[in-house]
Amino acid sequence: MPLYHTLGKIPSKRHTVFKKEDGTLHYEQLFGTIGFDGMSSLMYHLHRPTMVKEVGESIDVSPKAAVSHNIKSRLLKGFQVKPEDDYLESRKTVLFNNDVHIGLAAPKKSLTDYFYKNADADELLFVHKGTGTLKTMLGEIPFEYGDYILIPRGIIYQIEFDTEDNRLFITESYHPIYTPKRYRNWFGQHLEHSPFCERDFKLPRNLQTHDEKGEFLMKIKKQGRLHQLTYGSHPFDVVGWDGYNYPYVFSIHNFEPITGRVHQPPPVHQTFETSAFVVCSFVPRLYDYHPDSIPAPYNHSNIDSDEVLYYVDGDFMSRNNIDKGYISLHPAGIPHGPHPGTYEASIGKTKTEELAVMVDTFKPLQVTQYALDIDDGKYYQSWME
Ligand SMILES: [Fe+2]
């Protein structure tokens, strides 16, 4: 996140004496990425962030492939994933490869009894239903419908939901998630042609500092396992921090669509990039304005990527029988395109209200049993006339 941010109290010079009221020192911690070359933040703790008291059992949470070599286009009915009380247990990975895990969740309860961090992957939570607050050691961010919550790996967090009616579309990335390089200048600032800019990001606020010793359970996801560590001090004991590495929120409703006289290709919808997949936002927009334009997309061969579309709201112009919360998967190697009738029906239309999130992965995705349980099973034949 190329935007300097600071909260709380920090010393005027890094790596220098910074005393607490009782005269003892704060504990400085560099929280960085990509060795010492990536974005980082410097934070100041009341207690050592290293006070591990106990290491408990670790649980295998790695996704299991039910279909490891998928060639079928699939349609998953996402809202059929059952709500569950616990935030982590509610998360169901449906598609995955070594770069990215894609999942759905309907958590009923807030995560407040323990702390969680993903040590391996950046987490991108898309909020389809629900409001609440992300609480981290670097501050809090409120969230609502349409928000992308980007939580870099290593961030310790809890999540509070205002009600029990929550739906999340979750992307776990084993490569850092950035905004697209082509939207940014040499210094990292978003350029004028970018469909969003720094002003659209919600940054952490309201830094809460807990000066508590005791027993604090932290569940840490690493190498496909959930490790359970007990710490001797409250993980949210930071009095101040500054830097570039922190969670933030971007609303899909702040994505300004790029349109043209004829059909624009998917990259105009790009919102995030990694070295292994892209995330695009399809938002309400005016259609193409050439007098003979066909607004529906042409058939296309996604030779290089598996295409995952998560349908959020509105009528999806190129598909029949699509409902909110559905996921379509179009695997690499076979062409796909508009459903029969939708190509012709789109001619003359002036706008669309569609809202969807797309994840295009550069390597094939494997399909889990959770996905098969909500798979309509016949989508791959739905272009037959
Ligand atoms: Fe496509």
Side-chain angles (χ1 to χ4, degrees), residues 170-190:
I170 299 174
T171 305
E172 286 176 65
S173 173
Y174 292 80
H175 306 261
I177 301 175
Y178 303 128
T179 58
K181 178 71 186 75
R182 69 178 189 283
Y183 294 167
R184 288 183 273 116
N185 67 17
W186 178 256
F187 305 97
Q189 183 180 10
H190 290 86

Side-chain angles (χ1 to χ4, degrees), residues 10-308:
I10 56 173
S12 57
K13 190 84 179 165
R14 61 186 175 180
H15 320 319
T16 59
V17 168
F18 178 38
K19 288 184 177 173
K20 295 184 260 188
E21 280 180 8
D22 66 3
T24 60
L25 289 171
H26 287 96
Y27 299 96
E28 187 181 51
Q29 180 191 359
L30 180 71
F31 179 65
T33 57
I34 317 179
F36 288 84
D37 284 343
M39 286 182 283
S40 65
S41 293
L42 263 180
M43 62 183 105
Y44 297 87
H45 296 272
L46 289 174
H47 302 284
R48 287 183 181 84
T50 48
M51 294 203 298
V52 175
K53 213 166 184 175
E54 297 290 344
V55 177
E57 67 168 327
S58 88
I59 301 158
D60 181 7
V61 292
S62 58
K64 307 289 185 291
V67 180
S68 55
H69 296 77
N70 179 55
I71 195 66
K72 277 187 186 171
S73 297
R74 296 177 184 274
L75 189 65
L76 314 180
K77 300 182 174 182
F79 279 9
Q80 288 187 3
V81 167
K82 299 265 186 308
E84 289 187 39
D85 285 345
D86 182 76
Y87 169 70
L88 292 182
E89 287 175 13
S90 76
R91 295 166 40 140
K92 308 297 182 196
T93 299
V94 288
L95 304 166
F96 73 98
N97 60 25
N98 287 335
D99 302 314
V100 58
H101 295 183
I102 296 169
L104 296 159
K108 288 168 73 177
K109 304 285 188 209
S110 298
L111 189 179
T112 52
D113 292 346
Y114 57 90
F115 299 84
Y116 168 62
K117 83 171 163 187
N118 194 326
D120 287 337
D122 288 13
E123 294 194 350
L124 185 66
L125 315 177
F126 178 78
V127 181
H128 195 166
K129 278 186 173 189
T131 58
T133 305
L134 178 78
K135 297 192 165 186
T136 79
M137 79 276 213
L138 300 180
E140 302 178 352
I141 317 178
F143 60 82
E144 60 188 347
Y145 165 58
D147 280 345
Y148 291 103
I149 305 171
L150 205 165
I151 307 169
R153 67 203 58 191
I155 292 282
I156 302 164
Y157 75 86
Q158 295 184 321
I159 191 163
E160 288 191 7
F161 299 103
D162 296 332
T163 73
E164 293 198 343
D165 188 17
N166 306 293
R167 290 274 173 189
L168 304 172
F169 174 66
I170 299 174
T171 305
E172 286 176 65
S173 173
Y174 292 80
H175 306 261
I177 301 175
Y178 303 128
T179 58
K181 178 71 186 75
R182 69 178 189 283
Y183 294 167
R184 288 183 273 116
N185 67 17
W186 178 256
F187 305 97
Q189 183 180 10
H190 290 86
L191 289 159
E192 283 295 309
H193 74 273
S194 172
F196 51 84
C197 74
E198 287 75 7
R199 204 178 292 187
D200 298 316
F201 300 137
K202 281 196 280 184
L203 309 188
R205 301 281 173 211
N206 195 28
L207 180 66
Q208 298 286 315
T209 307
H210 295 262
D211 185 5
E212 293 173 44
K213 282 184 158 181
E215 298 200 339
F216 300 89
L217 175 62
M218 194 183 306
K219 298 190 180 184
I220 301 173
K221 193 169 183 185
K222 184 176 177 182
Q223 295 180 294
R225 299 189 77 86
L226 201 58
H227 301 276
Q228 307 194 67
L229 275 63
T230 303
Y231 273 83
S233 59
H234 196 295
F236 297 169
D237 73 339
V238 173
V239 298
W241 64 273
D242 75 336
Y244 290 73
N245 189 26
Y246 51 82
Y248 67 95
V249 164
F250 171 68
S251 172
I252 196 170
H253 305 304
N254 279 326
F255 188 95
E256 296 301 331
I258 295 166
T259 58
R261 250 163 67 89
V262 295
H263 189 82
Q264 297 294 297
V268 301
H269 306 282
Q270 193 178 348
T271 312
F272 297 105
E273 75 177 10
T274 74
S275 52
F277 67 92
V278 300
V279 177
C280 297
S281 302
F282 289 83
V283 301
R285 62 193 182 278
L286 296 179
Y287 270 149
D288 322 322
Y289 48 90
H290 185 287
D292 291 328
S293 69
I294 302 177
Y298 31 76
N299 293 291
H300 49 285
S301 306
N302 39 325
I303 294 297
D304 299 315
S305 58
D306 275 24
E307 182 190 291
V308 176

Side-chain angles (χ1 to χ4, degrees), residues 287-348:
Y287 270 149
D288 322 322
Y289 48 90
H290 185 287
D292 291 328
S293 69
I294 302 177
Y298 31 76
N299 293 291
H300 49 285
S301 306
N302 39 325
I303 294 297
D304 299 315
S305 58
D306 275 24
E307 182 190 291
V308 176
L309 253 179
Y310 179 75
Y311 300 91
V312 182
D313 202 3
D315 283 338
F316 214 76
M317 58 160 164
S318 58
R319 301 267 180 273
N320 296 326
N321 304 317
I322 293 290
D323 213 342
K324 290 179 187 180
Y326 281 21
I327 291 174
S328 64
L329 167 65
H330 295 120
I334 55 172
H336 66 277
H339 272 132
T342 58
Y343 199 53
E344 297 78 2
S346 74
I347 296 170

